[in-house]
Amino acid sequence: MDDVDWERLIDQLGRGDCAPFLGAGACAGTLPTGTALSNQYALRYGYPFADAGDLARVMQYGEAVLRDPVDLKETVCVHLRSHGRPPSGDPGEPHRLLAGFPVTTFLTTNYDDFLAEALRAEGKEPHVAVSPWWDTDPVTAPLLPEPTVERPVVYHLHGSWTEPASLVLTEADYLTYLVNMVDAVATDGRHPLPTPILRAMTTRPLLFVGYSLQDWTFRVLFHGLVRNTPRNNKRRHVSVQLMPEINGSAGDAESKARRYITHYLDRWNISIFLGTASEFCAELRRRMGRTS
């Protein structure tokens, strides 16, 4: 991100012309990473394969051991809730900082309720909705109210820990999610996302916080949106993410990785901030002149 990117983003956030899209990195320091969670459950269920850090595969194995997918998801929700909540007194905490802007639509693939609670702390009344990713029948799809600054919508794409059965957790869940997202559009042109969510994602700049753009769920969803967005309505997005693990034996590996990531994302009209969500929020606050 350069100065132009920062100025544009601050202006967009200030007038609410932005749709924050929160991933696991937004909860760093409060909830365990996907890899840490995967390793814990691999040990718990005696996962016999070498890829113990692959959460979806480990959870697929856990489901086979328990023979009850909902019970598995219940245990995950209880475990995640046991880690507590983000510090309420930190003005630079990602959920609290974003909740203070006049944004009407928030999207997340996280299970937690941190965003909704941050919005309530700002005196707002969020409408929280969970994607019925397992069912693409438009008759059963929930209707969302028109989001406003006072009553924003928080949309959980991968489920919520208030509804354990809704979690996209196992390998089978991810495959079902991706197939339903693609097939619903390919078969009859309709989209499985509710109209207010789809409108926000296709007409507003997106601020991705805590994602790896190597994630296939993101790639399928975002690529479909880019493809279906009219050229005259394409916006410039921002992504906050960590540098992927690099091959230390390759000469000048980090510099090459930065150039590749920047080039790759620029094709999708995305400016990148390489760093943690906390570092991004600190820089955002500094540029806005906030000290408290």
Side-chain angles (χ1 to χ4, degrees):
M1 293 180 67
D2 58 21
D3 290 341
V4 173
D5 289 320
W6 280 108
E7 290 172 8
R8 185 186 61 253
L9 176 62
I10 290 170
D11 183 53
Q12 290 168 346
L13 286 168
R15 65 176 190 267
D17 182 25
C18 184
F21 207 130
L22 273 64
C27 305
T30 301
L31 298 182
T33 65
T35 300
L37 185 64
S38 182
N39 285 324
Q40 290 174 21
Y41 273 79
L43 183 63
R44 178 171 181 169
Y45 292 118
Y47 185 70
F49 305 109
D51 55 348
D54 189 318
L55 182 61
R57 290 185 178 179
V58 169
M59 290 304 181
Q60 191 68 49
Y61 183 83
E63 179 184 317
V65 171
L66 284 180
R67 290 175 286 182
D68 186 333
V70 178
D71 190 65
L72 174 66
K73 294 176 183 182
E74 290 271 8
T75 69
V76 170
C77 292
V78 170
H79 178 68
L80 291 177
R81 284 178 163 175
S82 71
H83 284 78
R85 310 188 71 81
S88 59
D90 181 4
E93 194 278 320
H95 301 87
R96 178 176 175 183
L97 181 59
L98 292 172
F101 293 105
V103 171
T104 62
T105 306
F106 296 84
L107 306 120
T108 182
T109 49
N110 296 338
Y111 309 140
D112 62 77
D113 61 357
F114 298 162
L115 189 50
E117 286 301 302
L119 288 164
R120 293 187 184 104
E122 291 289 331
K124 300 174 183 179
E125 300 177 20
H127 177 90
V128 179
V130 178
S131 168
W133 52 269
W134 57 90
D135 181 9
T136 58
D137 186 345
V139 175
T140 59
L143 295 177
L144 296 185
E146 192 62 32
T148 65
V149 173
E150 295 76 19
R151 296 182 177 179
V153 166
V154 177
Y155 195 73
H156 287 263
L157 288 156
H158 283 182
S160 166
W161 66 16
T162 62
E163 301 176 33
S166 71
L167 267 57
V168 178
L169 182 65
T170 67
E171 200 168 46
D173 290 337
Y174 279 96
L175 289 172
T176 299
Y177 181 89
L178 293 175
V179 167
N180 285 349
M181 278 289 180
V182 173
D183 281 358
V185 178
T187 54
D188 57 11
R190 63 186 173 84
H191 205 286
L193 294 174
T195 299
I197 302 303
L198 184 59
R199 183 172 63 245
M201 294 179 73
T202 55
T203 64
R204 292 180 184 166
L206 304 175
L207 171 59
F208 298 98
V209 180
Y211 280 100
S212 165
L213 299 192
Q214 296 172 315
D215 180 82
W216 276 106
T217 301
F218 165 81
R219 288 188 182 192
V220 170
L221 185 61
F222 188 75
H223 182 71
L225 293 171
V226 169
R227 185 180 58 191
N228 292 311
T229 301
R231 184 174 182 81
N232 66 344
N233 199 37
K234 292 188 184 298
R235 308 295 299 270
R236 185 77 183 178
H237 312 290
V238 170
S239 174
V240 179
Q241 62 172 309
L242 293 174
M243 171 70 77
E245 186 176 351
I246 59 177
N247 179 6
S249 63
D252 198 22
E254 183 169 340
S255 178
K256 289 178 179 177
R258 284 178 177 272
R259 286 198 301 270
Y260 170 74
I261 293 171
T262 301
H263 172 73
Y264 181 81
L265 295 180
D266 193 60
R267 293 186 305 163
W268 284 3
N269 225 24
I270 299 175
S271 298
I272 185 172
F273 177 92
L274 282 173
T276 67
S278 295
E279 289 169 344
F280 168 79
C281 289
E283 180 63 11
L284 177 61
R285 284 168 47 78
R286 186 188 72 79
R287 288 177 176 262
M288 294 178 66
R290 293 189 180 183
T291 58
S292 61

